[in-house]
Amino acid sequence: MVGLGAIVLGFFLIAVGGEAGWCYHHPDDGGHHIHASQDCSTILRSSSWIEVFAGASAVWVFLAGVVSLIAAVLLLVAHEASRPKWNAGRTSGR
C-alpha cells in the first residue's frame, strides 16, 4: 500500500511542480525550452519554493514507490516459496 501511495503522491507532485520541476532538473541557461512556456530562469524566479521542491522531489518519490512495489512482490514470492507444502504428499484414497 505504501508503494501505491508513493506512486500517487509522485504524480501529484509532478502536477504541482510542473514547469518548475522541469526547469530545476534541466536548466537551460536562460534560453527558451520546448517543455517550458518561457526561459527557465524566469520560471524558477517566479515559482514558489513549494513548486520547486515538489518538482524536484516528484521523480524520487515516484521511483521509491516503484521500488517498494517490486520489493513487496519479491518478498511475497519468497515467502510463498518457503512455506511448507502440507498437502503435497497426501493422496486421496483408502
Side-chain angles (χ1 to χ4, degrees):
M1 295 308 268
V2 173
L4 290 175
I7 289 173
V8 170
L9 179 62
F11 279 122
F12 176 74
L13 291 173
I14 289 170
V16 170
E19 288 183 335
W22 174 261
C23 286
Y24 178 81
H25 287 292
H26 304 94
D28 58 2
D29 299 328
H32 182 72
H33 197 280
I34 193 168
H35 287 73
S37 61
Q38 46 192 325
D39 62 301
C40 282
S41 59
T42 304
I43 290 172
L44 290 174
R45 230 183 353 260
S46 65
S47 298
S48 70
W49 68 271
I50 293 172
E51 290 173 321
V52 175
F53 179 76
S57 63
V59 174
W60 294 110
V61 171
F62 181 79
L63 289 177
V66 170
V67 168
S68 174
L69 284 178
I70 291 171
V73 168
L74 291 176
L75 288 172
L76 179 66
V77 168
H79 174 71
E80 289 297 321
S82 69
R83 287 179 57 183
K85 308 296 185 259
W86 295 106
N87 294 328
R90 293 188 181 174
T91 58
S92 63
R94 299 178 191 163

